[in-house]
Amino acid sequence: MRIGELAERAGVSTRTLRYYESRGLLPARRAVNGYRVYDDEDLRLVAQIRTLQDFGFGLDETRPFVECLRAGHPQGDSCPASLDQYRRKIDELDALIGQLNSVRDQVAAELVRAEADLPGGPAPRCEMRG
């Protein structure tokens, strides 16, 4: 298939596909007429990249999964390097969750302080009714 068809089937732009190619994530095969050509395996690669990006993985973080698929494995996460990348992402997410919880606690403490400082005490809460 040509680049336009792959883009349509994968739900991305041709520009995105050329970018993946420039980053070495998508093979750069060309027909004798010079057009880029792709197959269903390339569609799997793009789908794997997009899924991981939806999960918050950066483009470089998708490389172990793409390499795993290119090596002929049935899934991009069938290889040890992919599993390691999952572990790194989970550690990163855990750290971010910890930071967010800390910020939330600080904001909540500021709210309690600000409410206590109001003349006449805390303002009544407005309850939303559905």
Side-chain angles (χ1 to χ4, degrees), residues 125-130:
R125 292 186 179 240
C126 176
E127 296 291 326
M128 297 291 290
R129 299 188 196 274

Side-chain angles (χ1 to χ4, degrees), residues 75-97:
Q75 300 294 326
D77 56 9
S78 300
C79 299
S82 301
L83 300 178
D84 288 343
Q85 190 63 46
Y86 275 151
R87 288 182 191 98
R88 283 191 293 274
K89 182 53 77 175
I90 289 170
D91 289 344
E92 178 186 320
L93 292 170
D94 286 343
L96 288 171
I97 289 167

Side-chain angles (χ1 to χ4, degrees), residues 1-91:
M1 76 186 88
R2 290 187 27 199
I3 193 167
E5 182 181 351
L6 177 61
E8 183 177 329
R9 289 179 63 188
V12 299
S13 68
T14 57
R15 182 178 179 196
T16 296
L17 295 175
R18 285 191 291 274
Y19 183 67
Y20 291 170
E21 183 181 305
S22 75
R23 299 291 301 269
L25 295 170
L26 197 59
R29 293 185 308 272
R30 296 201 180 250
V32 291
N33 60 7
Y35 291 133
R36 290 173 170 86
V37 291
Y38 302 97
D39 57 25
D40 287 336
E41 287 305 306
D42 298 319
L43 181 60
R44 284 184 66 211
L45 293 176
V46 175
Q48 178 75 81
I49 293 166
R50 300 300 297 164
T51 297
L52 292 168
Q53 287 188 310
D54 288 346
F55 292 161
F57 283 72
L59 199 54
D60 286 336
E61 293 172 318
T62 69
R63 192 169 303 280
F65 300 88
V66 169
E67 289 172 357
C68 190
L69 284 173
R70 286 172 126 181
H73 295 275
Q75 300 294 326
D77 56 9
S78 300
C79 299
S82 301
L83 300 178
D84 288 343
Q85 190 63 46
Y86 275 151
R87 288 182 191 98
R88 283 191 293 274
K89 182 53 77 175
I90 289 170
D91 289 344

